[in-house]
Amino acid sequence: MQFGVFSVGDVTEDPTTGTTLSEGERIKAMVRIALKAEEVGLDVFAQGEHHNPPFVPSSPTTQLGFIAAQTSKIILSTSTTLITTNDPVKIAEDYAMLQHLADGRVDLMMGRGNTGPVYPWFGQDIRNGIALAVENYALLRRLWREDVVDWEGKFRTPLQGFTATPRPLDDVPPFVWHGSIRSPEIAEQAAYYGDGFFHNNIFWPISHTTRMIQLYRQRFEHYGHGAADQAIVGLGGQIFMRKNSQEAVREFRPYFDNAPVYGHGPTLEDFSRETPLTVGSPQQVIERTLSFREHFGDYQRQLFLIDHAGLPLKTVLEQLDILGEEVVPVLRKEFAALKPAHVPDAPTHASLKAAAERAHDLETIEEPAR
């Protein structure tokens, strides 16, 4: 089981002090959070991709490359790479480059984002969102897996004899998670390719998330990638912790009430009851997170959102200390004890490389018999 944090990179006023970080301060704070995540023993740091205020992470590979140079273990991921409005050729080359710089510690979460105007900004039509996701990703896979590509589609100019450079590290493309909150077509896409499916699990009730994950698992099995319970599932989650629940609720309430993503809506109590948001003690976070398995089955990646809504960096770093010292060690032990032997771990560059080498050796052995 992989544990980590993801950031949406919002620049939001701290409602308790009235201060707002500059864009540069927020970018550097995200770097500090990633370094701290590795320091406390987490497995993954992921960041979103946005091209509109109040968000700053418009160039994930630039920031993740900077983080890669200062880390050695943590997996660097995206919590959204916009497969709809980015050119798949540029994605192929940018993330292969990042792969080399990070010695393979890279994977991606493909998504369509939640900002409608981004489509015309990049010359696309939001009404083609699903079709773009399907076509662009099909091309991206070929660019990573074929040295020379001839291709023609609907949404970009054709390619003739094209080679994306650099080639993926060790000829092993980064592992891909397909992220979606509500689109069954994306769960279907993830299942078709045998890729991972990630549900951010922070806004919707558990009943909805359960249906999406069940669909993905059923279709994963349908396409012959393994049993439904062997499908590769990732979940988000949203937490805020202090020693006791009363202290946590009191401190987090003004941030919740004014957050750009859900402020001025349901109360903190209602939102905590209807969604996986957990504001309380470390033990409450442990119990709530362990309960996800009852609804979604054994899964491979758990990421927490801890740094939005204007929370000061000092507070976020304190949250990471609690995660690393009190929460994740217990979750690792409990999830490991519950996971059946036939359920795979989350793919890594090392595991994907080993699988590719085994497949090559098997082909070499079988070749003389043909």
Side-chain angles (χ1 to χ4, degrees):
M1 184 82 157
Q2 293 175 344
F3 294 93
V5 292
F6 71 102
S7 176
V8 296
D10 61 311
V11 179
T12 303
E13 178 184 286
D14 183 332
T16 67
T17 65
T19 59
T20 304
L21 297 181
S22 68
E23 290 181 323
E25 289 170 334
R26 182 66 169 108
I27 290 167
K28 290 177 180 177
M30 291 172 66
V31 172
R32 183 70 189 90
I33 290 164
L35 301 185
K36 182 70 170 181
E38 176 169 275
E39 178 187 319
V40 302
L42 301 188
D43 305 301
V44 183
F45 172 79
Q47 69 171 74
E49 177 187 346
H50 297 275
H51 299 275
N52 58 293
F55 305 99
V56 293
S58 58
S59 180
T61 53
T62 303
Q63 187 157 7
L64 293 176
F66 185 74
I67 294 168
Q70 301 175 71
T71 55
S72 60
K73 296 179 181 179
I74 199 163
I75 295 170
L76 303 173
S77 185
T78 55
S79 50
T80 306
T81 295
L82 297 178
I83 189 63
T84 46
T85 51
N86 282 309
D87 182 356
V89 172
K90 197 71 170 76
I91 294 176
E93 296 190 333
D94 283 354
Y95 285 91
M97 175 73 80
L98 179 60
Q99 238 197 340
H100 285 272
L101 291 172
D103 297 321
R105 295 181 290 119
V106 173
D107 59 35
L108 294 83
M109 189 187 305
M110 299 297 178
R112 292 179 294 135
N114 59 5
T115 307
V118 76
Y119 285 83
W121 295 340
F122 288 87
Q124 299 295 349
D125 186 332
I126 193 172
R127 291 171 293 185
N128 297 326
I130 294 293
L132 279 162
V134 171
E135 180 176 295
N136 284 352
Y137 183 62
L139 174 56
L140 176 61
R141 283 182 65 88
R142 289 189 60 191
L143 291 167
W144 273 337
R145 288 165 172 81
E146 300 174 26
D147 288 338
V148 180
V149 173
D150 294 310
W151 178 89
E152 185 171 351
K154 181 178 179 181
F155 298 111
R156 76 172 316 280
T157 53
L159 298 173
Q160 295 180 346
F162 180 77
T163 299
T165 60
R167 305 305 298 145
L169 178 65
D170 301 317
D171 290 323
V172 176
F175 184 72
V176 168
W177 306 79
H178 298 260
S180 179
I181 299 173
R182 60 187 178 273
S183 301
E185 297 92 341
I186 301 304
E188 176 78 14
Q189 183 182 41
Y192 177 79
Y193 290 109
D195 294 336
F197 179 69
F198 189 93
H199 198 288
N200 80 350
N201 198 36
I202 62 175
F203 294 122
W204 290 70
I206 279 179
S207 59
H208 169 82
T209 307
T210 300
R211 287 193 296 272
M212 289 287 288
I213 291 174
Q214 285 177 343
L215 170 64
Y216 161 67
R217 289 188 183 279
Q218 291 164 1
R219 300 302 288 171
F220 182 95
E221 183 171 302
H222 168 80
Y223 288 116
H225 300 299
D229 65 351
Q230 294 177 305
I232 308 299
V233 173
L235 291 175
Q238 196 173 348
I239 59 174
F240 186 84
M241 297 174 289
R242 286 305 184 203
K243 266 184 193 177
N244 60 68
S245 59
Q246 294 85 357
E247 183 183 348
V249 168
R250 183 172 59 253
E251 185 174 346
F252 187 67
R253 187 182 298 281
Y255 295 97
F256 176 90
D257 288 346
N258 293 279
V261 291
Y262 45 48
H264 313 291
T267 66
L268 174 57
E269 287 73 17
D270 287 343
F271 202 86
S272 298
R273 184 173 57 254
E274 297 297 328
T275 79
L277 171 65
T278 307
V279 180
S281 68
Q283 186 58 37
Q284 286 174 301
V285 169
I286 290 168
E287 292 172 1
R288 190 80 179 276
T289 306
L290 286 173
S291 75
F292 293 165
R293 182 179 178 274
E294 301 169 13
H295 301 278
F296 311 129
D298 292 288
Y299 63 107
Q300 285 79 7
R301 173 175 285 186
Q302 175 67 60
L303 302 183
F304 296 106
L305 176 63
I306 60 169
D307 75 327
H308 74 133
L311 285 163
L313 178 60
K314 177 178 180 293
T315 300
V316 176
L317 298 180
E318 290 168 352
Q319 296 293 300
L320 283 165
D321 277 328
I322 299 169
L323 265 178
E325 294 170 11
E326 301 183 47
V327 174
V328 167
V330 177
L331 291 175
R332 282 195 201 283
K333 181 179 177 181
E334 295 294 330
F335 276 115
L338 294 167
K339 184 172 80 73
H342 71 280
V343 173
D345 294 328
T348 63
H349 182 77
S351 70
L352 294 171
K353 179 182 176 183
E357 289 172 346
R358 287 194 299 271
H360 179 268
D361 290 345
L362 185 59
E363 286 182 7
T364 302
I365 293 170
E366 292 178 348
E367 188 65 32
R370 293 175 183 168

